[in-house]
Amino acid sequence: MTARPGPRVSVLMPTFRQASFLPRALESLLAQSLPDWELIVVDDGSPDNTAAAVRPYLSDPRITYHRLERNRGLGAALNHALSRAQAPLVAYLPSDDVYYREHLEGLVGALAAHPGASLAYSGVRHHYNKAAAGQIDGSPLQLVQVMHRRTGDRWLERDELTTDDLNRMYWHHLTRRGPAVGTGAVTCEWVDHPDQRHKIVREPEGGINPYRVYYGVQEPLRFHTTVGHHIDEGERYRKDRERPPTPPAPDGLKILLVGELAYNPERVLALAERGHQLYGLWTDRPYWYNWVGPLPFGHVQDIPRENWQAAVRAIRPDVIYGLLNWQAVPFAHHVLTENPGVPFVWHFKEGPFICLEKGTWRELLELYTRADGRIYSSQEMQDWFETLSPELKGGRPTLVLDGDLPRREGVQGERSPRLSDTDGEIHTVVPGRPIGLHPETVAELAAQGIHLHFYGEFTHGQWRGWIERAKGLAGRFLHLHPNVNQEDWVAEFSRYDAGWLHFFRSENGGELRRANWDDLNLPARMATLAAAGLPMLQGDNSGHIVATQTLARELDLGLFFRDMQDLGAQLQDREHLNRLRERVWAVRDQFTFDHHAGRLIAFFREVIGERQAAAAAEIVVPTGHAERK
């Protein structure tokens, strides 16, 4: 009997949570004009009915199915498939993509015509009405459009790096062996939908925390997208993760964190270090900067979103601490509504105006009106909310506490020598977005001899046009720097003479109802600048209600100016600037979460006490009505 020849092409299909897409992809493979292929499906721990979607196709001997017990990431799934590939050529069909009839035949022909080529690629449709003859602008070659000769190279796996850059993951291995050639024909589709992997990975639509939630990642990540900065959670949080848990305090609380932690998430460890037990119930739709569990620094026990009420009853937490930003409002409201009787505290950072835009205003108001305890990020924010409804005026415990404060341990260190001590010029810094600093404003600063140092390579991408124009106007007075992790804030930012808060002109005239988000907000960078002991720069908004202005004047933290000429004159007063610098350094601890942790715990105890007193004052009679004693 003549042995059946092996396949010419091994097609690899990694799949996760795409059962509804999968039959379409498989049907497109079955319709290929080149029939001698094998398909290796690797189900990367899908929680949906992927196995059932594949099952009808397994009667075709060319198709095999493998399931990994848990999600291990794209690289691991592809390496699993590669190790089982038999053909000399390898192609890829992600389960949400589609081949056109002549796709495999065209790629095989291109490699046959170019014996020295390492890979071939087709053109690709990437939106319902857009196509590219080869590589899509701004993206690497996509899996669906590539075929290559089988080699001993392996894909980069999650424990090495998570990225959307397929060049770093694999293609660069191949192109070192020989050139890539294109067919010039559009023969496949990179299907556009919200759950494409690159969208989950890449900021700002996705990012490290959306990725963690979507793929159920339990371990710390090394993460670097094509548009974001490098994050090494394993190294950054190693000390916290490996630190033994603090023994429970005799009167320690069980605190259930609900929602997300936004910036500086490790601040909550200050509560664990005081002997309180922390649990986490996280929103399933976080933004990239809104941290959710499993937290890479540990010491917070997650509970599942599925049937979370049963888990809460089993844990019996003393308080639910709902937080923090507008993205968490729907989920926090759900927990409030389904709360099985635990005292509930709502802490809101930003932004009420976005809740209006997003259609979650009702939920936000109910979080405040129904919560047992209310925390506002600034006094101005509390005053503003209390104009909205009589229900928000008194009657419940309230606290004012900024939600984005860093942990004390993360912002220690010695100050660095100032740049101005070397060159005699004034250097200011803006960590993050240069809000209110238009290119023309930067030019005015340059005319005063004032440098502006702009930090954050991801932010640079968002402000590319701003940078080009500001650089053209300000020349050597504009400087660009990469992102700085929290542990380097002091050493890096203390080199400057002063730092920028959001620069804006208030228009509320002292009337709360006219206030906008700039007026009510205490931006996260306030703590960053305080950590480095930097005087804070903001426009003079005398006569208006502005939270940053109130706090900066109360603590004597900065300079207020009418225009850039006024600012230039104030910055030249080195004696006054030095006094401010020492003043900010002296009060910097007030901008750490640890400084307020005791006050927060006392607030929780007040809320718990009032809830218990209210319950004790009620008698449930047989009719189900409650009566007061």
Side-chain angles (χ1 to χ4, degrees):
M1 180 182 290
T2 304
R4 184 170 177 261
R8 293 181 70 184
V9 181
S10 293
V11 180
L12 314 186
M13 176 180 282
T15 183
F16 179 73
R17 289 176 60 173
Q18 292 182 341
S20 60
F21 286 102
L22 197 142
R24 183 188 185 204
L26 290 171
E27 292 291 341
S28 76
L29 177 60
L30 292 170
Q32 288 298 292
S33 57
L34 186 149
D36 46 344
W37 47 259
E38 67 168 349
L39 175 67
I40 305 168
V41 181
V42 179
D43 179 354
D44 196 10
S46 296
D48 62 6
N49 59 336
T50 293
V54 176
R55 193 172 298 120
Y57 296 92
L58 296 181
S59 59
D60 189 322
R62 296 173 295 177
I63 299 175
T64 58
Y65 170 78
H66 307 263
R67 175 176 171 81
L68 306 181
E69 289 186 8
R70 64 179 182 87
N71 184 271
R72 293 172 50 198
L74 177 64
L78 290 174
N79 285 333
H80 185 91
L82 269 179
S83 68
R84 288 154 177 79
Q86 302 178 57
L89 301 177
V90 177
Y92 301 88
L93 179 56
S95 54
D96 54 343
D97 293 337
V98 174
Y99 285 168
Y100 301 155
R101 178 174 173 78
E102 68 278 14
H103 179 69
L104 292 180
E105 186 175 3
L107 290 171
V108 167
L111 287 173
H114 298 85
S118 64
L119 67 84
Y121 59 88
S122 72
V124 59
R125 190 164 83 176
H126 54 94
H127 291 82
Y128 72 94
N129 61 353
K130 296 180 183 178
Q135 188 169 331
I136 302 165
D137 286 344
S139 297
L141 287 170
Q142 295 305 314
L143 289 170
V144 69
Q145 63 185 130
V146 169
M147 179 183 289
H148 61 82
R149 306 185 196 280
R150 184 154 62 94
T151 70
D153 299 309
R154 57 182 292 280
W155 283 83
L156 200 66
E157 296 194 9
R158 180 188 287 159
D159 59 354
E160 299 167 283
L161 183 70
T162 296
T163 182
D164 61 320
D165 188 347
L166 300 183
N167 290 318
R168 291 175 74 177
M169 290 188 71
Y170 194 75
W171 300 151
H172 73 96
H173 291 303
L174 301 176
T175 53
R176 288 172 182 169
R177 298 176 180 272
V181 296
T183 67
V186 175
T187 58
C188 64
E189 183 173 350
W190 187 41
V191 176
D192 180 39
H193 63 92
D195 289 335
Q196 284 178 286
R197 180 180 181 273
H198 76 285
K199 293 179 182 177
I200 295 168
V201 172
R202 187 187 297 176
E203 302 161 3
E205 291 182 31
I208 190 167
N209 297 305
Y211 177 87
R212 189 191 319 278
V213 169
Y214 189 85
Y215 291 101
V217 180
Q218 301 295 311
E219 61 273 7
L221 291 164
R222 294 183 69 241
F223 198 87
H224 194 190
T225 74
T226 53
V227 297
H229 52 266
H230 182 263
I231 303 170
D232 187 344
E233 293 184 324
E235 191 57 38
R236 179 177 178 185
Y237 295 116
R238 186 179 309 282
K239 183 172 66 174
D240 287 323
R241 195 171 58 255
E242 295 177 352
R243 176 183 296 170
T246 303
D251 61 345
L253 299 177
K254 292 181 180 179
I255 303 168
L256 175 59
L257 308 168
V258 166
E260 46 82 13
L261 294 177
Y263 298 113
N264 307 316
E266 65 275 15
R267 67 184 182 274
V268 299
L269 293 181
L271 302 176
E273 289 162 0
R274 285 161 172 76
H276 305 287
Q277 294 178 261
L278 302 180
Y279 302 86
L281 175 58
W282 311 109
T283 179
D284 62 346
R285 289 286 179 177
Y287 273 44
W288 66 271
Y289 54 84
N290 286 345
W291 290 84
V292 293
L295 297 168
F297 43 79
H299 305 284
V300 179
Q301 179 181 326
D302 286 352
I303 67 173
R305 280 186 298 275
E306 296 75 21
N307 198 20
W308 61 265
Q309 296 94 331
V312 170
R313 292 187 184 97
I315 293 169
R316 300 178 64 186
D318 297 293
V319 65
I320 293 175
Y321 182 22
L323 65 178
L324 186 65
N325 290 341
W326 63 268
Q327 299 94 335
V329 164
F331 184 72
H333 180 266
H334 163 70
V335 174
L336 173 74
T337 303
E338 303 296 324
N339 178 13
V342 182
F344 187 100
V345 170
W346 172 237
H347 188 175
F348 190 51
K349 168 67 176 181
E350 60 178 45
F353 303 97
I354 302 179
C355 288
L356 281 167
E357 294 174 1
K358 299 293 183 180
T360 56
W361 182 250
R362 177 184 63 82
E363 289 86 348
L364 175 62
L365 285 185
E366 288 189 5
L367 279 164
Y368 268 125
T369 57
R370 295 174 57 184
D372 300 290
R374 304 159 179 162
I375 304 180
Y376 301 92
S377 62
S378 70
Q379 185 60 57
E380 288 74 9
M381 176 79 90
Q382 178 176 345
D383 295 342
W384 184 83
F385 265 99
E386 289 181 354
T387 68
L388 305 179
S389 169
E391 294 179 83
L392 292 172
K393 295 179 180 178
R396 302 280 173 87
T398 60
L399 180 70
V400 173
L401 177 62
D402 186 1
D404 281 326
L405 297 175
R407 184 172 164 227
R408 179 184 292 145
E409 186 174 314
V411 292
Q412 301 300 307
E414 297 297 322
R415 288 180 282 185
S416 301
R418 277 182 285 181
L419 297 176
S420 57
D421 291 338
T422 301
D423 63 14
E425 298 184 336
I426 300 296
H427 293 264
T428 66
V429 62
V430 54
R433 298 169 296 165
I435 294 176
L437 295 171
H438 305 296
E440 293 74 16
T441 313
V442 182
E444 291 179 42
L445 290 172
Q448 298 293 315
I450 301 170
H451 294 261
L452 181 68
H453 295 258
F454 175 16
Y455 277 76
E457 69 271 29
F458 171 64
T459 312
H460 296 165
Q462 293 180 315
W463 291 70
R464 188 172 292 113
W466 182 97
I467 289 171
E468 292 174 359
R469 178 155 176 76
K471 196 72 174 176
L473 294 173
R476 72 180 185 90
F477 288 91
L478 177 65
H479 311 267
L480 305 179
H481 303 270
N483 183 66
V484 175
N485 286 332
Q486 186 187 97
E487 58 269 22
D488 297 319
W489 286 355
V490 176
E492 183 70 20
F493 296 133
S494 62
R495 301 186 303 143
Y496 303 112
D497 295 290
W500 287 89
L501 296 178
H502 297 174
F503 177 52
F504 64 95
R505 299 296 184 191
S506 178
E507 299 178 347
N508 65 57
E511 182 182 354
L512 268 175
R513 287 181 176 83
R514 293 180 184 269
N516 61 24
W517 179 234
D518 287 330
D519 297 320
L520 304 176
N521 183 32
L522 294 177
R525 71 181 60 174
M526 204 167 193
T528 305
L529 300 176
L534 287 191
M536 302 176 195
L537 305 177
Q538 59 183 304
D540 188 346
N541 282 307
S542 298
H544 301 274
I545 298 170
V546 176
T548 53
Q549 176 177 259
T550 301
L551 186 57
R553 290 196 186 281
E554 177 185 327
L555 297 179
D556 191 16
L557 298 175
L559 299 177
F560 303 86
F561 54 91
R562 298 180 300 277
D563 52 38
M564 296 306 128
Q565 290 75 23
D566 181 20
L567 174 61
Q570 293 190 54
L571 287 173
Q572 291 298 335
D573 186 347
R574 294 304 180 98
E575 182 177 346
H576 180 56
L577 203 59
N578 287 337
R579 186 194 66 78
L580 277 177
R581 180 182 173 90
E582 295 307 316
R583 171 62 183 166
V584 178
W585 187 258
V587 301
R588 62 196 292 269
D589 192 63
Q590 294 187 35
F591 290 85
T592 68
F593 183 75
D594 304 65
H595 182 85
H596 303 276
R599 194 160 61 95
L600 178 60
I601 291 298
F603 180 72
F604 288 159
R605 295 193 191 281
E606 179 187 358
V607 170
I608 294 166
E610 291 213 2
R611 176 70 178 257
Q612 290 172 341
E618 291 185 350
I619 300 175
V620 179
V621 297
T623 59
H625 298 290
E627 293 184 354
R628 290 283 178 183
K629 286 183 178 178

